[in-house]
Amino acid sequence: MFHAQVLTLFPEFFSSPLACSIPSRAIAAGQARVDCIQIRDFATDKHRSVDDAPYGGGPGMLMKPEPVVAAIREARRRIPSTHVVMLTPSGRPFTQEVALEYAALDSITLLCGRYEGFDERICADVDAQLSLGDYVLSGGEPAALSVLDAVIRLLPGVLGSSESAVLDSFTEDGILDWPHYTRPEIFEGRSVPKVLLSGNHQAIEAWRKSESQARSKARLRAVLSHS
Ligand code: SAM
């Protein structure tokens, strides 16, 4: 079973999303397990503080090293083989390739920051740094949740054959999914492409492939024109 741990100041953030749809099914079936560890439980002063002001001045507060590192060590004590990942905008970009890598592991531990982020010395205690994208979230929790969702759906047996991940975007050579249509045949004057109604499976497959390629090229062009 894939065992994830989340180091967070807000364990309640995860309850509702993990109780829905595919993650909840995987957890109920014993294919995945997610445990939250409250970082504040590792604070040592009487105020249970987890943040402090930055040396050198500047706005905001930082996650203090002592409680965060103690929480990471507790996560490693519970699962010695776990891969500890710090969520930070400075990290490796999260992609489907990373999701596949994580789905092949026995355990990951996701470290969620708050405030202005982490004291830099905490980095020495993690195995990887991961970014959800080039924007700034208020905390690591939405990033951790996205990672959990993307990884859990890739675990063996989690998706039924009707929802297989093999055809998902980015799975084959980074190519995007093709456009999909369901009933009705005409919606607000827009028709389903005729080829999909033809019953000609070879033609349908060729159309899907060419649509996927066209979409992937269009997106690449859009990315390059903004870089
Ligand atoms: N001062 C930091 C910076 O500019 O890089 C941002 C800190 S952010 C307000 C607080 C926390 O949210 C971070 O420590 C990190 O855990 C999480 N976070 C924010 N944006 C993220 C992103 N794009 N990917 C992963 N985690 C993110």
Side-chain angles (χ1 to χ4, degrees):
M1 188 202 6
F2 177 79
H3 194 161
Q5 304 182 106
V6 185
L7 308 180
T8 173
L9 293 172
F10 298 100
E12 64 276 19
F13 186 94
F14 297 88
S15 328
S16 164
L18 293 179
C20 298
S21 187
I22 291 167
S24 119
R25 229 167 53 199
I27 291 167
Q31 292 157 322
R33 174 173 166 174
V34 181
D35 293 332
C36 289
I37 297 177
Q38 170 57 270
I39 296 172
R40 200 174 292 282
D41 290 346
F42 298 86
T44 48
D45 63 338
K46 69 173 191 276
H47 302 293
R48 300 180 77 215
S49 24
V50 291
D51 59 319
D52 210 336
Y55 277 115
M61 303 290 269
L62 292 174
M63 303 276 292
K64 283 164 67 65
E66 307 92 318
V68 175
V69 167
I72 294 172
R73 290 182 184 159
E74 172 60 15
R76 290 196 196 277
R77 189 195 63 74
R78 292 186 191 186
I79 309 178
S81 64
T82 198
H83 184 68
V84 179
V85 180
M86 171 190 274
L87 293 158
T88 163
S90 323
R92 174 188 181 193
F94 184 55
T95 59
Q96 189 71 2
E97 192 184 351
V98 180
L100 283 158
E101 277 174 36
Y102 288 179
L105 301 176
D106 295 332
S107 171
I108 57 170
T109 295
L110 300 170
L111 170 61
C112 303
R114 281 273 157 179
Y115 317 111
E116 286 306 314
F118 299 99
D119 180 294
E120 191 64 20
R121 292 164 292 183
I122 295 169
C123 299
D125 274 76
V126 305
D127 300 313
Q129 299 183 31
L130 193 70
S131 167
L132 204 63
D134 288 351
Y135 43 81
V136 178
L137 300 163
S138 316
E141 288 78 8
L145 196 55
S146 301
V147 173
L148 289 172
D149 188 282
V151 171
I152 288 174
R153 68 195 298 286
L154 291 174
L155 298 175
V158 166
L159 294 185
S161 55
S162 64
E163 8 170 59
S164 167
V166 175
L167 297 177
D168 278 347
S169 292
F170 312 115
T171 303
E172 192 198 317
D173 299 332
I175 214 102
L176 296 174
D177 198 5
W178 54 73
H180 299 274
Y181 297 85
T182 185
R183 277 184 284 261
E185 201 177 310
I186 301 175
F187 174 68
E188 296 188 345
R190 288 183 302 248
S191 304
V192 171
K194 284 276 171 288
V195 63
L196 297 179
L197 311 172
S198 68
N200 179 340
H201 295 295
Q202 249 181 334
I204 292 173
E205 205 180 308
W207 177 84
R208 286 177 168 166
K209 206 167 174 184
S210 101
E211 288 292 313
S212 281
Q213 283 166 350
R215 255 186 187 189
S216 309
K217 275 189 200 146
R219 193 171 105 138
L220 189 60
R221 271 197 299 275
V223 170
L224 291 176
S225 74
H226 284 96
S227 64

